[in-house]
Amino acid sequence: MKIAIIGLGDIATKAYLPLLTRMSELDLILCTRNPEKLAAVAREYRIAETCTNFRKLVEMNVDGVMIHTNSETHAPIATFFIEQGIPVFVDKPAALNFSDYQKLHDLAEQKSVPLFVGFNRRYIPIWRSLVARDDLRTISWHKHRLNLAGAAQDFVLDDMIHVIDSLNLDGEIDKQDVQISVQRKGGDIAMINLSWEENGTLFRGQMNRQFGKTCESVSLCFENEAYQFDSFLCGEKFENGKTERIEMPDWTDTLETKGFKAMLEDWVRVAKSGKGDEQVQLRNLSTHAFCERLVREISSS
């Protein structure tokens, strides 16, 4: 398969290219407007095919594209390739407002072209099977940063969208009666806390951008059984009054522990087959819809 990488910033060079270049079934093409950056990355990863105009990729007969450009450009670039019938992977958020994402989704449906949104936390191996259990009673997801209060749209769409989507297990968060609490620093948002109950499960999510450090933690509770993860590498299980340590195998690659490896394998499968999962598409819609609702609510309060 011939896959084009559009945009060569940190997310592409640090999270994606190290894994993509190990996938022997892929031929990669690099694309960015900056010729110096293009040449440097092509040399580093020994990739022969490059271009500076993403529209020329159609002539290069690509089988799929991965969009890692600025968020404002995600929707228009994705639209261009979907109209050409080419499968698209796009970083979150796929669009900065829900109406644009809805159009993108509808176009992909109309053209029967896969639209894959890059939510790596759906694939984190250490807790992936636990999150999928149907006896889950409580899930809490906290993602914090140090001294990074900001505007509502940036806060939610650049960062908290990870918490929102990770809790949106059934793809119906936009339909829930979510309790929203906000703390501010002047005109900026410092903390957002969410909570709601859905089908007997209590969901809690928080992002505090005035925390003492950058960190992420996940708690999962079942009947007389609970789990606490303070990293993507290890955690603890509590059952029958005992604590059991949970760890990823030694030498597990960092990008695998963060879900990128499994996500890319799923993306390649979807691009090859030309078919995405309908429930995944509904979850993508729901996550983007709730993000817009959240930005609107906290901006008007």
Side-chain angles (χ1 to χ4, degrees):
M1 290 186 68
K2 189 178 278 192
I3 300 293
I5 315 300
I6 305 171
L8 299 177
D10 283 349
I11 186 69
T13 58
K14 293 180 181 179
Y16 290 104
L17 280 170
L19 292 170
L20 290 166
T21 51
R22 296 180 211 161
M23 300 175 77
S24 59
E25 71 270 35
L26 302 184
D27 288 327
L28 302 178
I29 302 175
L30 301 181
C31 178
T32 184
R33 293 177 298 178
N34 184 327
E36 291 80 16
K37 180 76 170 179
L38 186 63
V41 177
R43 278 195 307 271
E44 180 181 356
Y45 289 99
R46 301 180 183 180
I47 296 172
E49 287 193 276
T50 63
C51 73
T52 55
N53 184 339
F54 70 81
R55 291 175 177 82
K56 298 224 170 177
L57 292 169
V58 177
E59 302 167 17
M60 301 172 80
N61 298 315
V62 295
D63 299 303
V65 298
M66 299 182 67
I67 301 169
H68 306 300
T69 55
N70 293 333
S71 296
E72 309 85 65
T73 65
H74 287 176
I77 295 176
T79 298
F80 172 81
F81 286 103
I82 291 171
E83 286 176 340
Q84 310 300 315
I86 296 171
V88 168
F89 176 110
V90 60
D91 285 335
K92 60 78 199 165
L96 289 179
N97 61 72
F98 181 65
S99 63
D100 284 346
Y101 184 75
Q102 181 77 65
K103 290 174 187 174
L104 200 59
H105 168 87
D106 292 347
L107 179 65
E109 293 278 300
Q110 176 192 336
K111 298 284 187 179
S112 297
V113 175
L115 171 63
F116 194 107
V117 184
F119 289 112
N120 62 292
R121 281 161 178 76
R122 297 179 184 178
Y123 297 87
I124 291 175
I126 198 166
W127 59 61
R128 189 176 181 185
S129 62
L130 295 171
V131 172
R133 282 173 52 173
D134 59 11
D135 59 339
L136 181 63
R137 288 192 165 188
T138 304
I139 176 169
S140 298
W141 205 297
H142 288 199
K143 187 174 188 291
H144 303 314
R145 293 195 181 274
L146 172 65
N147 194 29
L148 202 61
Q153 186 178 64
D154 294 340
F155 191 112
V156 173
L157 288 172
D158 285 348
D159 214 353
M160 195 173 182
I161 189 172
H162 283 302
V163 176
I164 292 165
D165 183 75
S166 297
L167 292 172
N168 191 18
L169 300 177
D170 296 323
E172 295 190 347
I173 188 173
D174 57 313
K175 301 178 179 68
Q176 304 305 318
D177 180 18
V178 180
Q179 303 301 307
I180 301 169
S181 302
V182 179
Q183 291 180 350
R184 303 174 189 272
K185 180 185 180 183
D188 289 333
I189 307 300
M191 187 277 292
I192 300 175
N193 189 82
L194 309 174
S195 63
W196 75 99
E197 187 175 355
E198 180 182 347
N199 299 323
T201 302
L202 181 61
F203 293 81
R204 300 189 186 102
Q206 186 182 107
M207 170 161 276
N208 185 344
R209 281 183 151 198
Q210 289 188 314
F211 205 68
K213 65 175 182 176
T214 295
C215 58
E216 190 163 354
S217 64
V218 177
S219 297
L220 302 143
C221 295
F222 305 89
E223 185 174 354
N224 296 313
E225 177 188 356
Y227 298 81
Q228 175 70 48
F229 300 95
D230 291 316
S231 76
F232 306 121
L233 290 167
C234 59
E236 293 180 318
K237 175 183 178 181
F238 310 105
E239 188 176 22
N240 296 322
K242 297 180 181 179
T243 300
E244 176 185 338
R245 182 81 169 167
I246 300 172
E247 293 181 301
M248 292 292 292
D250 286 347
W251 304 105
T252 303
D253 187 280
T254 299
L255 294 174
E256 181 175 353
T257 68
K258 292 185 176 181
F260 286 99
K261 184 175 184 289
M263 179 177 67
L264 287 175
E265 290 170 348
D266 193 27
W267 149 242
V268 170
R269 178 191 61 77
V270 167
K272 277 182 180 177
S273 68
K275 295 178 181 178
D277 183 272
E278 183 179 350
Q279 185 58 38
V280 170
Q281 299 307 315
L282 293 175
R283 182 174 178 179
N284 293 342
L285 276 169
S286 175
T287 291
H288 282 82
F290 182 77
C291 284
E292 178 158 296
R293 168 182 154 191
L294 181 59
V295 171
R296 186 173 61 247
E297 287 195 23
I298 64 179
S299 298
S300 62
S301 61

